[in-house]
């Protein structure tokens, strides 16, 4: 080799080889050959992915439902006041005897106390909650007239006279608000029953509201967010109410069976625990059917409707399966209230429902556009109906905001069987396909679409 040839060697650094100029030249060369464009999409912002967005907003919707219903729902009714009388009799008062097999209150008694004209039976299982949060068996003889206590009670409403059995006793409790202190056990039970009826539909409704509105909010489409959110709330609430009635037909007998399978009246056996989990999973599976339908109904999209239905069912099933393990294993069964476990359980249900809707959409989608340049870089826009409008109008299916180079109705994307095509609405507002202006063209996997200052890559699931 001639030594002078060494002066003609071209040295290319790594930065130069990976520069945007080289990428643009490669795209132009492939466009001239008619090949689909290439995109080194390194900015895939995962937090715009629907599985993540839906999971987060689904959890927030469930937590909002918990915050609304929890102040009115008590696992055990809490009643507080000054003891006006104490009885050490080991026999139940005559009016308190019950032959009901489904009574929550055992027939054995260690005595009773009267608080604000309510007779509360002291049971062999009654425990005293200590200052450190632990508990010990109650010694009935330590209770004195004139002492102010708080009592967590089992309560059974009956025609002649209701039955209240103490589960936990709190000595020297904090003062109650006047409104709460005025409520009788019957009023507390009625409030608990009403809240219990609303838990299912409210959780389903608010998860539906948050999931339905999420995509519209991310895309800055307040009209779509309001419409989809309202439909999600309505469908979720009504569907949750209907499904809760259906679930009670199965869940209530399974709960009874779970308790009968347990020797200890205050704890479930392994078999009883499994039965309880199966019953609750089925109940939330039914409720999940209604949680993800809002967006599909509002946008009249069969694809979104199907994704929401399947994702809601699977997510409800998973969330229901995790609810009891969280409650009984992580937080323990021996507690007066399950409000913290309900908080975590509802959050898990919302997370599972929202996440599974996004996962089902991810796995089942046929074609989509991923924004590679623009304000929502990394977000994927599903081709969810046969004709979709793209433009700067808020009524567009794909809304390109804050871009002065985009017309109100800039382009149309059509789904034609297994194929998609894009068409420019006006010649004065070009659409670039692989850096070439087009009027109408068929889209292929990997094609780059540029509209104004916004760029997408078209992607299609392989057959």
């Amino acid at each position: 080799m001639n030594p002078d040839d060494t002066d003609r060697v071209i040295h290319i650094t790594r930065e130069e080889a990976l520069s945007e100029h080289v990428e643009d030249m490669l795209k132009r060369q492939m466009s001239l050959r008619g090949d689909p464009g290439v995109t080194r999409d390194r900015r895939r912002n995962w937090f715009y992915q629907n599985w993540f967005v839906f999971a987060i907003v689904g959890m927030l919707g469930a937590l909002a439902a918990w915050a609304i219903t929890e102040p009115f729902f008590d696992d055990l009714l809490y009643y507080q006041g000054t003891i006006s009388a104490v009885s050490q009799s080991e026999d139940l008062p005559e009016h308190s005897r019950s032959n009901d097999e489904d009574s929550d209150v055992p027939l054995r008694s260690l005595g009773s106390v009267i608080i604000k004209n309510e007779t509360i039976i002291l049971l062999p299982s009654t425990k005293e909650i200590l200052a450190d949060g632990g508990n010990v068996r109650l010694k009935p003889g330590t209770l004195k007239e004139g002492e102010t206590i708080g009592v967590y009670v089992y309560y059974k409403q009956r025609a002649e006279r209701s039955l209240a059995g103490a589960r936990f006793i709190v000595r020297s409790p904090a003062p109650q608000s006047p409104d709460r202190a005025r409520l009788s056990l019957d009023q507390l039970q009625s409030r608990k029953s009403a809240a219990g009826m609303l838990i299912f539909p409210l959780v389903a409704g608010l998860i539906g509201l948050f999931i339905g509105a999420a995509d519209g909010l991310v895309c800055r489409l307040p009209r779509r967010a309001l419409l989809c959110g309202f439909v999600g709330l309505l469908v979720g609430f009504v569907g949750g109410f209907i499904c809760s009635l259906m679930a009670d037909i199965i869940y209530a007998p399974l709960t009874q069976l779970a308790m009968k399978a347990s020797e200890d009246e205050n704890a479930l056996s392994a078999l009883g625990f499994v039965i309880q989990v199966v019953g609750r999973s089925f109940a939330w599976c039914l409720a999940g059917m209604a949680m993800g339908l809002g967006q599909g109904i509002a946008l009249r999209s069969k694809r979104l409707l199907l994704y929401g239905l399947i994702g809601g069912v699977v997510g409800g099933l998973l969330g229901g399966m995790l609810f009891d393990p969280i409650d009984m294993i992580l937080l323990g069964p021996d507690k007066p209230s399950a409000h913290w476990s309900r908080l975590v359980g509802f959050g898990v249900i919302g997370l599972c429902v929202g996440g599974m809707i996004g996962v089902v959409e991810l796995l089942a989608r046929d074609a989509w556009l991923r924004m590679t340049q623009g304000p929502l870089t990394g977000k994927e826009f599903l081709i969810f109906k046969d004709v979709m409008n793209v433009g700067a109008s808020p009524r567009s299916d794909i809304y390109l905001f804050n871009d002065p180079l985009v017309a109100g109705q800039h382009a149309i994307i059509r789904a034609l069987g297994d194929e998609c095509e894009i068409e420019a609405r006006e010649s004065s507002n070009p659409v670039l396909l692989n850096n070439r202006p087009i009027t109408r063209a068929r889209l292929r996997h990997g094609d780059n679409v540029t509209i104004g200052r916004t760029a997408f890559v078209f992607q299609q699931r392989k057959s």
Side-chain angles (χ1 to χ4, degrees), residues 77-308:
L77 300 186
Y78 180 74
Y79 197 62
Q80 182 175 313
T82 302
I83 299 175
S84 58
V86 180
S87 171
Q88 299 298 325
S89 170
E90 295 205 6
D91 294 324
L92 284 174
E94 189 66 30
H95 67 262
S96 299
R97 297 182 183 275
S98 172
N99 293 320
D100 297 340
E101 292 185 0
D102 63 340
S103 175
D104 293 328
V105 184
L107 297 183
R108 291 174 295 163
S109 168
L110 298 181
S112 63
V113 296
I114 297 177
I115 300 175
K116 294 188 293 188
N117 297 322
E118 297 279 4
T119 300
I120 299 174
I121 302 162
L122 304 177
L123 308 169
S125 60
T126 301
K127 294 185 178 181
E128 178 185 341
I129 298 178
L130 304 176
D132 61 1
N135 58 70
V136 296
R137 292 281 182 178
L138 175 70
K139 297 179 179 179
T142 62
L143 296 176
K144 305 297 181 183
E145 291 185 15
E147 181 182 1
T148 298
I149 63 171
V151 189
Y152 291 93
V153 302
Y154 301 110
Y155 194 67
K156 181 73 174 180
Q157 286 181 312
R158 300 167 60 196
E160 60 277 8
R161 186 156 182 173
S162 298
L163 185 63
R167 179 70 180 91
F168 294 95
I169 297 286
V170 180
R171 313 295 278 266
S172 303
Q176 283 187 306
S177 66
D179 290 339
R180 179 64 186 261
R182 282 194 292 267
L183 296 177
S184 66
L185 285 175
D186 274 338
Q187 290 171 325
L188 289 171
Q189 180 65 27
S190 298
R191 189 174 73 166
K192 173 185 175 178
S193 299
M197 291 179 60
L198 290 175
I199 283 180
F200 250 81
L202 197 59
V203 170
L206 289 186
I207 290 177
L209 166 65
F210 279 57
I211 291 177
D215 197 57
L217 291 175
V218 170
C219 296
R220 302 188 189 182
L221 291 167
R223 181 176 175 274
R224 180 189 294 182
L226 289 173
L227 175 62
C228 295
F230 175 76
V231 174
L233 173 64
L234 183 63
V235 173
F237 187 88
V238 174
F241 185 78
I242 295 173
C243 290
S244 69
L245 298 178
M246 296 170 57
D248 281 342
I249 298 174
I250 301 296
Y251 180 63
L254 286 177
T255 302
Q256 297 274 339
L257 182 61
M259 296 305 298
K260 289 181 179 179
S262 304
E263 296 180 0
D264 184 351
E265 64 195 24
N266 297 315
L268 292 176
S269 66
L271 176 60
F273 181 75
V274 171
I275 295 172
Q276 178 91 343
V277 170
V278 170
R280 198 183 299 275
S281 299
F282 180 79
W284 282 109
C285 177
L286 288 177
M289 293 174 60
M291 296 183 191
L293 301 180
Q295 194 173 25
I297 293 175
L299 299 179
R300 300 177 183 180
S301 169
K302 294 180 181 179
R303 291 186 182 91
L304 294 180
L305 189 68
L306 181 62
Y307 300 159

Side-chain angles (χ1 to χ4, degrees), residues 389-441:
N389 294 308
V390 184
S393 169
R395 295 180 178 272
S396 301
D397 297 299
I398 299 178
Y399 174 42
L400 304 182
F401 50 88
N402 294 337
D403 191 339
L405 301 180
V406 177
Q409 300 294 330
H410 200 109
I412 291 178
I413 296 177
R414 293 186 179 90
L416 307 171
D418 295 334
E419 303 292 336
C420 292
E421 69 174 21
I422 187 168
E423 177 184 354
R425 295 295 298 270
E426 302 175 11
S427 58
S428 58
N429 299 308
V431 173
L432 302 182
L433 181 63
N434 300 324
N435 292 324
R436 293 184 299 173
I438 55 96
T439 301
R440 177 185 293 183

